[in-house]
Amino acid sequence: MNNTNLVPEFPEHLSHRLFSEAQIDRIDSLHVPTVIRFMLADRYDAKFINSTSDTWDFTYSGLKNIIKFDGLDYHEVKLLKYFLAYYIQINSPSNLYLSANKIKSLFNELAERDMEFSYKSFETILLEQAKDIKSSRDYYRVKLFVKLMIVEGFDLFKESDEDKLEILERPSNFNSQLFYQEAEDAISKPAITMIQNGFAKLNLEITKRNLITDNIIKNTSILGLIYVTGMRPVQLSKLSVEDIKIDTYTEEGEHMRYSILVPYAKQGRFNHAKISIKLPEEIAKVILQYIKQFKLSMNHQLFDLGDYAVTYCTTAINEQLFEFSPQKYRQKVLNGEWIQIRYTSTQFRHHVAYSMALSGSSAEDIAYILGHSSLVTARHYIFSSPNLAQVRAIALGRNPVYQQMIAMLMTGDIITHEHSHGENIVGFVNNKVHSNIGKCSYKADCFLEPVRSCYGCVYFHPYVNGNHTEVLECVQNELESIVHISDAVYNSSNPIIAIHEATKFEIESVVRRCELNVEVKNADD
């Protein structure tokens, strides 16, 4: 029975104990999926939650979870359920009740201390928790909640607050001076693969001179520049067409090199010249198509972002990421079954800085590329860069318990040999031929390496009983050899490790998806 209407009633809107009127309106606009499914539930785990119930009762990983929403009013309950639904999509739900209890108690603490529902208040609480060793886990639960408020555009939570959030003091059971040491890349590997695939397909459309809508070409141009440069929206708004440079040119139009002159976002005490940053050819072609399609002259502003550049860029990024997303994911979001995972331009800045730090860039290099007027922030990324032992642990199989849902949907349908989904795929990995993995439905000649590149492609339809574990073993053996060589020459930033680790992750996702497919079929039988 759903008795949400029986929870305590607090005065509405202007006199709400926590939320401002704008926050109330934002909560009203949120959609909590009625059925929240556990994507990777095992055979004896609960498979879903009915979110409309006033008590969530389920078993996962051998642990009984009971979450009660008493003591909160309608809007507090809805926001908490929305956070928990989001949490389930990116984490294992085995300890969901701990996150629920923490955020629930946090609502009451804010009210008791007469603190407004804002980033400033949460920053105060996080700094207090950082000094308490027993609160280390709660610290990260609260941090995830604050990040969601920023991404969802809540009143009193600005995107610029995300920069402050990442360098807050951490619990003392870690080395709290190394602010980023426990941080992971803000952009997940499945999302990176999705973006790269999206640009590759769009380049093919441009080459074929197919019609591309104005909205898609503009959104993709904004996403591409933020993805490779980490520019702030204010920097995007300062760009002109003449800032896009063709550095080398060939008659055949191949092996072109491009760069972009990026203005500093913050000038500080000195006037800085624009920064020249190399542009990947795939992204440069999209931007040139955008300039051509919108008929922009050389001295024209590249992007008209209106009066709210941050909001405009966030919308453009997420619209295009959604466009690049797998069809099944988009359908589930449109049907209200899943919450759309959103990103901010700030997260892409962290991605660029994190990638540079991981590849061995200096604080000076990072500050230069990101347009920082000092080295203070850049040094935090250097502190986060893992040493060789950490890189080796990640490369040799230390993965999070929960594989992200996008990775599970990056490929096409799971099929058997009898299905007509294109041609059978054959290719080499680690000097071995692999042929029994699936079919490719791509109509044109594929420019990617078969087998190795298939596991992150939407045109790949894996065989449910294919030899995916053999491919995984070959990639694993390659990875171990690369790590061994990197160890020998003290090269912890070998980029090939990251590439192979991403491939390994994609293959593992397909293996898990095939296992789930078999489990569901057996359960139906």
Side-chain angles (χ1 to χ4, degrees), residues 106-129:
L106 203 59
F107 287 167
N108 292 325
E109 180 182 350
L110 288 169
E112 290 169 3
R113 296 173 62 176
D114 197 24
M115 300 172 73
E116 66 179 0
F117 190 78
S118 66
Y119 170 79
K120 186 176 180 181
S121 296
F122 279 97
E123 182 180 278
T124 299
I125 290 174
L126 285 168
L127 290 173
E128 291 172 356
Q129 290 182 339

PDB file of all heavy atoms in Angstrom, residues 106-129:
ATOM      1  N   LEU A 106      20.404  13.647   7.215  1.00  0.00           N
ATOM      2  CA  LEU A 106      20.961  14.930   6.804  1.00  0.00           C
ATOM      3  C   LEU A 106      19.864  15.984   6.645  1.00  0.00           C
ATOM      4  O   LEU A 106      20.041  17.144   7.022  1.00  0.00           O
ATOM      5  CB  LEU A 106      21.711  14.762   5.487  1.00  0.00           C
ATOM      6  CG  LEU A 106      22.787  15.791   5.146  1.00  0.00           C
ATOM      7  CD1 LEU A 106      23.865  15.823   6.222  1.00  0.00           C
ATOM      8  CD2 LEU A 106      23.403  15.465   3.796  1.00  0.00           C
ATOM      9  N   PHE A 107      18.725  15.571   6.083  1.00  0.00           N
ATOM     10  CA  PHE A 107      17.588  16.487   5.959  1.00  0.00           C
ATOM     11  C   PHE A 107      17.195  17.018   7.342  1.00  0.00           C
ATOM     12  O   PHE A 107      16.982  18.224   7.532  1.00  0.00           O
ATOM     13  CB  PHE A 107      16.394  15.782   5.324  1.00  0.00           C
ATOM     14  CG  PHE A 107      16.540  15.526   3.839  1.00  0.00           C
ATOM     15  CD1 PHE A 107      15.670  14.680   3.188  1.00  0.00           C
ATOM     16  CD2 PHE A 107      17.534  16.139   3.101  1.00  0.00           C
ATOM     17  CE1 PHE A 107      15.779  14.447   1.824  1.00  0.00           C
ATOM     18  CE2 PHE A 107      17.662  15.916   1.734  1.00  0.00           C
ATOM     19  CZ  PHE A 107      16.786  15.069   1.102  1.00  0.00           C
ATOM     20  N   ASN A 108      17.101  16.098   8.287  1.00  0.00           N
ATOM     21  CA  ASN A 108      16.710  16.500   9.644  1.00  0.00           C
ATOM     22  C   ASN A 108      17.778  17.370  10.307  1.00  0.00           C
ATOM     23  O   ASN A 108      17.459  18.321  11.025  1.00  0.00           O
ATOM     24  CB  ASN A 108      16.447  15.260  10.494  1.00  0.00           C
ATOM     25  CG  ASN A 108      15.211  14.502  10.040  1.00  0.00           C
ATOM     26  OD1 ASN A 108      14.224  15.105   9.602  1.00  0.00           O
ATOM     27  ND2 ASN A 108      15.248  13.173  10.116  1.00  0.00           N
ATOM     28  N   GLU A 109      19.048  17.052  10.052  1.00  0.00           N
ATOM     29  CA  GLU A 109      20.135  17.842  10.637  1.00  0.00           C
ATOM     30  C   GLU A 109      20.121  19.273  10.099  1.00  0.00           C
ATOM     31  O   GLU A 109      20.298  20.233  10.864  1.00  0.00           O
ATOM     32  CB  GLU A 109      21.484  17.191  10.322  1.00  0.00           C
ATOM     33  CG  GLU A 109      22.669  17.954  10.903  1.00  0.00           C
ATOM     34  CD  GLU A 109      24.004  17.321  10.551  1.00  0.00           C
ATOM     35  OE1 GLU A 109      24.015  16.201  10.020  1.00  0.00           O
ATOM     36  OE2 GLU A 109      25.032  17.979  10.812  1.00  0.00           O
ATOM     37  N   LEU A 110      19.911  19.434   8.807  1.00  0.00           N
ATOM     38  CA  LEU A 110      19.851  20.768   8.216  1.00  0.00           C
ATOM     39  C   LEU A 110      18.725  21.591   8.831  1.00  0.00           C
ATOM     40  O   LEU A 110      18.886  22.779   9.125  1.00  0.00           O
ATOM     41  CB  LEU A 110      19.657  20.674   6.699  1.00  0.00           C
ATOM     42  CG  LEU A 110      20.857  20.197   5.878  1.00  0.00           C
ATOM     43  CD1 LEU A 110      20.435  19.904   4.444  1.00  0.00           C
ATOM     44  CD2 LEU A 110      21.972  21.234   5.888  1.00  0.00           C
ATOM     45  N   ALA A 111      17.571  20.922   9.028  1.00  0.00           N
ATOM     46  CA  ALA A 111      16.425  21.619   9.615  1.00  0.00           C
ATOM     47  C   ALA A 111      16.695  21.996  11.073  1.00  0.00           C
ATOM     48  O   ALA A 111      16.394  23.115  11.503  1.00  0.00           O
ATOM     49  CB  ALA A 111      15.179  20.747   9.510  1.00  0.00           C
ATOM     50  N   GLU A 112      17.285  21.064  11.836  1.00  0.00           N
ATOM     51  CA  GLU A 112      17.551  21.317  13.250  1.00  0.00           C
ATOM     52  C   GLU A 112      18.581  22.433  13.440  1.00  0.00           C
ATOM     53  O   GLU A 112      18.492  23.217  14.386  1.00  0.00           O
ATOM     54  CB  GLU A 112      18.048  20.033  13.915  1.00  0.00           C
ATOM     55  CG  GLU A 112      16.969  18.970  14.059  1.00  0.00           C
ATOM     56  CD  GLU A 112      17.541  17.620  14.467  1.00  0.00           C
ATOM     57  OE1 GLU A 112      18.776  17.553  14.687  1.00  0.00           O
ATOM     58  OE2 GLU A 112      16.769  16.638  14.542  1.00  0.00           O
ATOM     59  N   ARG A 113      19.541  22.514  12.541  1.00  0.00           N
ATOM     60  CA  ARG A 113      20.584  23.536  12.645  1.00  0.00           C
ATOM     61  C   ARG A 113      20.205  24.824  11.918  1.00  0.00           C
ATOM     62  O   ARG A 113      21.007  25.752  11.848  1.00  0.00           O
ATOM     63  CB  ARG A 113      21.902  22.985  12.101  1.00  0.00           C
ATOM     64  CG  ARG A 113      22.458  21.817  12.903  1.00  0.00           C
ATOM     65  CD  ARG A 113      23.674  21.188  12.255  1.00  0.00           C
ATOM     66  NE  ARG A 113      24.804  22.109  12.141  1.00  0.00           N
ATOM     67  CZ  ARG A 113      26.010  21.761  11.678  1.00  0.00           C
ATOM     68  NH1 ARG A 113      26.230  20.501  11.312  1.00  0.00           N
ATOM     69  NH2 ARG A 113      26.976  22.656  11.595  1.00  0.00           N
ATOM     70  N   ASP A 114      18.995  24.835  11.381  1.00  0.00           N
ATOM     71  CA  ASP A 114      18.484  26.003  10.664  1.00  0.00           C
ATOM     72  C   ASP A 114      19.426  26.416   9.534  1.00  0.00           C
ATOM     73  O   ASP A 114      19.741  27.600   9.350  1.00  0.00           O
ATOM     74  CB  ASP A 114      18.285  27.177  11.629  1.00  0.00           C
ATOM     75  CG  ASP A 114      17.374  28.261  11.037  1.00  0.00           C
ATOM     76  OD1 ASP A 114      16.561  27.918  10.149  1.00  0.00           O
ATOM     77  OD2 ASP A 114      17.494  29.433  11.449  1.00  0.00           O
ATOM     78  N   MET A 115      19.878  25.421   8.762  1.00  0.00           N
ATOM     79  CA  MET A 115      20.775  25.661   7.631  1.00  0.00           C
ATOM     80  C   MET A 115      19.985  25.551   6.337  1.00  0.00           C
ATOM     81  O   MET A 115      19.131  24.669   6.191  1.00  0.00           O
ATOM     82  CB  MET A 115      21.927  24.645   7.626  1.00  0.00           C
ATOM     83  CG  MET A 115      22.789  24.684   8.883  1.00  0.00           C
ATOM     84  SD  MET A 115      23.995  23.319   8.965  1.00  0.00           S
ATOM     85  CE  MET A 115      25.181  23.847   7.727  1.00  0.00           C
ATOM     86  N   GLU A 116      20.267  26.429   5.397  1.00  0.00           N
ATOM     87  CA  GLU A 116      19.558  26.380   4.127  1.00  0.00           C
ATOM     88  C   GLU A 116      20.028  25.191   3.296  1.00  0.00           C
ATOM     89  O   GLU A 116      21.143  24.683   3.482  1.00  0.00           O
ATOM     90  CB  GLU A 116      19.750  27.673   3.338  1.00  0.00           C
ATOM     91  CG  GLU A 116      21.178  27.912   2.875  1.00  0.00           C
ATOM     92  CD  GLU A 116      21.319  29.194   2.071  1.00  0.00           C
ATOM     93  OE1 GLU A 116      20.309  29.894   1.881  1.00  0.00           O
ATOM     94  OE2 GLU A 116      22.451  29.510   1.634  1.00  0.00           O
ATOM     95  N   PHE A 117      19.167  24.758   2.381  1.00  0.00           N
ATOM     96  CA  PHE A 117      19.501  23.635   1.504  1.00  0.00           C
ATOM     97  C   PHE A 117      20.338  24.193   0.355  1.00  0.00           C
ATOM     98  O   PHE A 117      19.823  24.578  -0.692  1.00  0.00           O
ATOM     99  CB  PHE A 117      18.219  22.982   0.984  1.00  0.00           C
ATOM    100  CG  PHE A 117      18.446  21.678   0.271  1.00  0.00           C
ATOM    101  CD1 PHE A 117      18.672  20.512   0.982  1.00  0.00           C
ATOM    102  CD2 PHE A 117      18.426  21.617  -1.121  1.00  0.00           C
ATOM    103  CE1 PHE A 117      18.873  19.308   0.331  1.00  0.00           C
ATOM    104  CE2 PHE A 117      18.630  20.417  -1.787  1.00  0.00           C
ATOM    105  CZ  PHE A 117      18.855  19.262  -1.061  1.00  0.00           C
ATOM    106  N   SER A 118      21.675  24.234   0.547  1.00  0.00           N
ATOM    107  CA  SER A 118      22.558  24.866  -0.419  1.00  0.00           C
ATOM    108  C   SER A 118      23.920  24.187  -0.400  1.00  0.00           C
ATOM    109  O   SER A 118      24.256  23.444   0.526  1.00  0.00           O
ATOM    110  CB  SER A 118      22.737  26.346  -0.089  1.00  0.00           C
ATOM    111  OG  SER A 118      23.436  26.496   1.145  1.00  0.00           O
ATOM    112  N   TYR A 119      24.707  24.480  -1.433  1.00  0.00           N
ATOM    113  CA  TYR A 119      26.055  23.925  -1.482  1.00  0.00           C
ATOM    114  C   TYR A 119      26.867  24.382  -0.272  1.00  0.00           C
ATOM    115  O   TYR A 119      27.625  23.609   0.309  1.00  0.00           O
ATOM    116  CB  TYR A 119      26.785  24.339  -2.765  1.00  0.00           C
ATOM    117  CG  TYR A 119      28.245  23.983  -2.700  1.00  0.00           C
ATOM    118  CD1 TYR A 119      28.668  22.671  -2.926  1.00  0.00           C
ATOM    119  CD2 TYR A 119      29.206  24.937  -2.347  1.00  0.00           C
ATOM    120  CE1 TYR A 119      30.001  22.323  -2.818  1.00  0.00           C
ATOM    121  CE2 TYR A 119      30.538  24.588  -2.233  1.00  0.00           C
ATOM    122  CZ  TYR A 119      30.929  23.286  -2.474  1.00  0.00           C
ATOM    123  OH  TYR A 119      32.242  22.938  -2.346  1.00  0.00           O
ATOM    124  N   LYS A 120      26.709  25.635   0.103  1.00  0.00           N
ATOM    125  CA  LYS A 120      27.472  26.191   1.221  1.00  0.00           C
ATOM    126  C   LYS A 120      27.235  25.392   2.497  1.00  0.00           C
ATOM    127  O   LYS A 120      28.169  25.100   3.254  1.00  0.00           O
ATOM    128  CB  LYS A 120      27.098  27.658   1.421  1.00  0.00           C
ATOM    129  CG  LYS A 120      27.939  28.379   2.456  1.00  0.00           C
ATOM    130  CD  LYS A 120      27.580  29.856   2.526  1.00  0.00           C
ATOM    131  CE  LYS A 120      28.431  30.587   3.563  1.00  0.00           C
ATOM    132  NZ  LYS A 120      28.082  32.021   3.655  1.00  0.00           N
ATOM    133  N   SER A 121      25.986  25.021   2.756  1.00  0.00           N
ATOM    134  CA  SER A 121      25.666  24.242   3.963  1.00  0.00           C
ATOM    135  C   SER A 121      26.286  22.848   3.886  1.00  0.00           C
ATOM    136  O   SER A 121      26.846  22.347   4.871  1.00  0.00           O
ATOM    137  CB  SER A 121      24.147  24.126   4.123  1.00  0.00           C
ATOM    138  OG  SER A 121      23.555  25.396   4.325  1.00  0.00           O
ATOM    139  N   PHE A 122      26.198  22.224   2.713  1.00  0.00           N
ATOM    140  CA  PHE A 122      26.756  20.882   2.567  1.00  0.00           C
ATOM    141  C   PHE A 122      28.278  20.909   2.660  1.00  0.00           C
ATOM    142  O   PHE A 122      28.889  19.964   3.165  1.00  0.00           O
ATOM    143  CB  PHE A 122      26.313  20.267   1.239  1.00  0.00           C
ATOM    144  CG  PHE A 122      24.935  19.686   1.277  1.00  0.00           C
ATOM    145  CD1 PHE A 122      23.848  20.405   0.821  1.00  0.00           C
ATOM    146  CD2 PHE A 122      24.710  18.414   1.782  1.00  0.00           C
ATOM    147  CE1 PHE A 122      22.561  19.873   0.867  1.00  0.00           C
ATOM    148  CE2 PHE A 122      23.441  17.872   1.828  1.00  0.00           C
ATOM    149  CZ  PHE A 122      22.357  18.602   1.373  1.00  0.00           C
ATOM    150  N   GLU A 123      28.886  21.970   2.188  1.00  0.00           N
ATOM    151  CA  GLU A 123      30.339  22.088   2.312  1.00  0.00           C
ATOM    152  C   GLU A 123      30.733  22.133   3.788  1.00  0.00           C
ATOM    153  O   GLU A 123      31.704  21.489   4.203  1.00  0.00           O
ATOM    154  CB  GLU A 123      30.822  23.349   1.596  1.00  0.00           C
ATOM    155  CG  GLU A 123      32.335  23.521   1.648  1.00  0.00           C
ATOM    156  CD  GLU A 123      32.791  24.778   0.937  1.00  0.00           C
ATOM    157  OE1 GLU A 123      32.912  24.745  -0.302  1.00  0.00           O
ATOM    158  OE2 GLU A 123      33.028  25.790   1.630  1.00  0.00           O
ATOM    159  N   THR A 124      29.977  22.862   4.592  1.00  0.00           N
ATOM    160  CA  THR A 124      30.236  22.928   6.039  1.00  0.00           C
ATOM    161  C   THR A 124      30.145  21.541   6.666  1.00  0.00           C
ATOM    162  O   THR A 124      31.010  21.140   7.457  1.00  0.00           O
ATOM    163  CB  THR A 124      29.227  23.877   6.716  1.00  0.00           C
ATOM    164  OG1 THR A 124      29.364  25.189   6.171  1.00  0.00           O
ATOM    165  CG2 THR A 124      29.457  23.919   8.222  1.00  0.00           C
ATOM    166  N   ILE A 125      29.111  20.796   6.303  1.00  0.00           N
ATOM    167  CA  ILE A 125      28.915  19.455   6.865  1.00  0.00           C
ATOM    168  C   ILE A 125      30.026  18.508   6.411  1.00  0.00           C
ATOM    169  O   ILE A 125      30.542  17.708   7.203  1.00  0.00           O
ATOM    170  CB  ILE A 125      27.523  18.921   6.456  1.00  0.00           C
ATOM    171  CG1 ILE A 125      26.439  19.713   7.191  1.00  0.00           C
ATOM    172  CG2 ILE A 125      27.398  17.432   6.758  1.00  0.00           C
ATOM    173  CD1 ILE A 125      25.030  19.394   6.764  1.00  0.00           C
ATOM    174  N   LEU A 126      30.417  18.583   5.137  1.00  0.00           N
ATOM    175  CA  LEU A 126      31.485  17.717   4.626  1.00  0.00           C
ATOM    176  C   LEU A 126      32.809  17.994   5.328  1.00  0.00           C
ATOM    177  O   LEU A 126      33.557  17.061   5.653  1.00  0.00           O
ATOM    178  CB  LEU A 126      31.634  17.910   3.117  1.00  0.00           C
ATOM    179  CG  LEU A 126      30.550  17.254   2.251  1.00  0.00           C
ATOM    180  CD1 LEU A 126      30.645  17.747   0.816  1.00  0.00           C
ATOM    181  CD2 LEU A 126      30.657  15.735   2.296  1.00  0.00           C
ATOM    182  N   LEU A 127      33.110  19.246   5.585  1.00  0.00           N
ATOM    183  CA  LEU A 127      34.350  19.588   6.281  1.00  0.00           C
ATOM    184  C   LEU A 127      34.332  19.073   7.720  1.00  0.00           C
ATOM    185  O   LEU A 127      35.365  18.656   8.255  1.00  0.00           O
ATOM    186  CB  LEU A 127      34.567  21.096   6.255  1.00  0.00           C
ATOM    187  CG  LEU A 127      34.927  21.692   4.886  1.00  0.00           C
ATOM    188  CD1 LEU A 127      34.953  23.209   4.940  1.00  0.00           C
ATOM    189  CD2 LEU A 127      36.280  21.152   4.410  1.00  0.00           C
ATOM    190  N   GLU A 128      33.152  19.077   8.331  1.00  0.00           N
ATOM    191  CA  GLU A 128      33.018  18.517   9.678  1.00  0.00           C
ATOM    192  C   GLU A 128      33.215  17.004   9.654  1.00  0.00           C
ATOM    193  O   GLU A 128      33.889  16.432  10.519  1.00  0.00           O
ATOM    194  CB  GLU A 128      31.638  18.856  10.242  1.00  0.00           C
ATOM    195  CG  GLU A 128      31.447  20.338  10.553  1.00  0.00           C
ATOM    196  CD  GLU A 128      30.010  20.684  10.925  1.00  0.00           C
ATOM    197  OE1 GLU A 128      29.141  19.776  10.857  1.00  0.00           O
ATOM    198  OE2 GLU A 128      29.746  21.846  11.271  1.00  0.00           O
ATOM    199  N   GLN A 129      32.643  16.347   8.651  1.00  0.00           N
ATOM    200  CA  GLN A 129      32.772  14.888   8.548  1.00  0.00           C
ATOM    201  C   GLN A 129      34.198  14.474   8.216  1.00  0.00           C
ATOM    202  O   GLN A 129      34.635  13.386   8.602  1.00  0.00           O
ATOM    203  CB  GLN A 129      31.815  14.359   7.493  1.00  0.00           C
ATOM    204  CG  GLN A 129      30.347  14.436   7.893  1.00  0.00           C
ATOM    205  CD  GLN A 129      29.425  13.861   6.836  1.00  0.00           C
ATOM    206  OE1 GLN A 129      29.791  13.754   5.675  1.00  0.00           O
ATOM    207  NE2 GLN A 129      28.220  13.503   7.242  1.00  0.00           N
TER     208      GLN A 129
END
